[in-house]
Amino acid sequence: MNDQPQTQPAAKVLGGLTPYLQLDGAFKAAEFYQKAFGADQVFLYPPDEQGRTMHIHLHINGSTLMISDFYPEHGMPAVKPQGYTMQLHLGSDDIDAWWQRAVDAGCEVVMPLQVMFWGDQWGNMRDPFGVEWAMNAPVKKA
C-alpha cells in the first residue's frame, strides 16, 4: 500500500497572464466564482489543518484564475484587495446574462451596466471577498 498523498495532474493554464488572488476563504471563493462567473475548478490542493488551501486553479471565460488563502506565517499576510479590477471581456449577446448571474450570486453593483463614452457596455461590481470585477462588451448592432 502506498502512503504517499495523491497528486492531481496539472491543469492547463489558459491565456498569457494569470491573476493570482490571495483571499480569506479560498474554498468559499472558488464556490462563489462557480456560481457568479461560471468558473470551472480544474485543480486544488486539499485543505491544511486550519482549513486553508495554498492553491486553487479555475477557468473563467476562457482564462485562468488562481486563488489561495493567506499564509501570514509564510510572508503572505491578510490584506484587503485593492488597486485592481478583474475584467471580463464578453460578447454583446452574453453580457446581460453574465451580469445578472453575478448579481444574483451576491455581487454588489458598484457602477451599473451601461453604455460608456468609449462605446462599449461596461459595469463594475464587488464580490463578497472584496474583489472588484468589471464586465465589458461591444454594444449590440441594431
Side-chain angles (χ1 to χ4, degrees), residues 102-140:
V103 170
D104 290 347
C107 284
E108 172 192 353
V109 174
V110 175
M111 179 173 276
L113 194 59
Q114 59 192 292
V115 177
M116 300 302 285
F117 66 89
W118 62 85
D120 287 348
Q121 195 172 9
W122 185 89
N124 178 258
M125 57 182 60
R126 184 176 304 110
D127 74 26
F129 303 90
V131 177
E132 297 281 330
W133 293 81
M135 295 185 190
N136 191 88
V139 174
K140 286 184 186 180

Side-chain angles (χ1 to χ4, degrees), residues 22 70 77-81:
Q22 291 165 321
F70 295 112
V79 294
K80 181 180 176 184

Side-chain angles (χ1 to χ4, degrees), residues 20-25 33 68-72 76-86 108 110 125-132:
Y20 205 116
L21 302 176
Q22 291 165 321
L23 303 169
D24 184 16
Y33 295 155
S68 73
D69 282 286
F70 295 112
Y71 283 85
M76 295 189 303
V79 294
K80 181 180 176 184
Q82 62 183 356
Y84 63 88
T85 301
M86 306 296 292
E108 172 192 353
V110 175
M125 57 182 60
R126 184 176 304 110
D127 74 26
F129 303 90
V131 177
E132 297 281 330

Side-chain angles (χ1 to χ4, degrees), residues 18-89:
T18 302
Y20 205 116
L21 302 176
Q22 291 165 321
L23 303 169
D24 184 16
F27 285 116
K28 288 181 182 178
E31 288 175 0
F32 180 80
Y33 295 155
Q34 290 173 52
K35 290 178 198 165
F37 304 117
D40 292 319
Q41 183 175 290
V42 295
F43 183 89
L44 66 84
Y45 280 112
D48 65 11
E49 60 283 348
Q50 295 177 35
R52 304 173 302 179
T53 184
M54 62 180 278
H55 183 70
I56 299 175
H57 184 150
L58 304 170
H59 288 162
I60 301 175
N61 190 37
S63 297
T64 288
L65 173 66
M66 297 182 182
I67 58 178
S68 73
D69 282 286
F70 295 112
Y71 283 85
E73 69 273 23
H74 296 292
M76 295 189 303
V79 294
K80 181 180 176 184
Q82 62 183 356
Y84 63 88
T85 301
M86 306 296 292
Q87 182 150 306
L88 295 164
H89 295 274

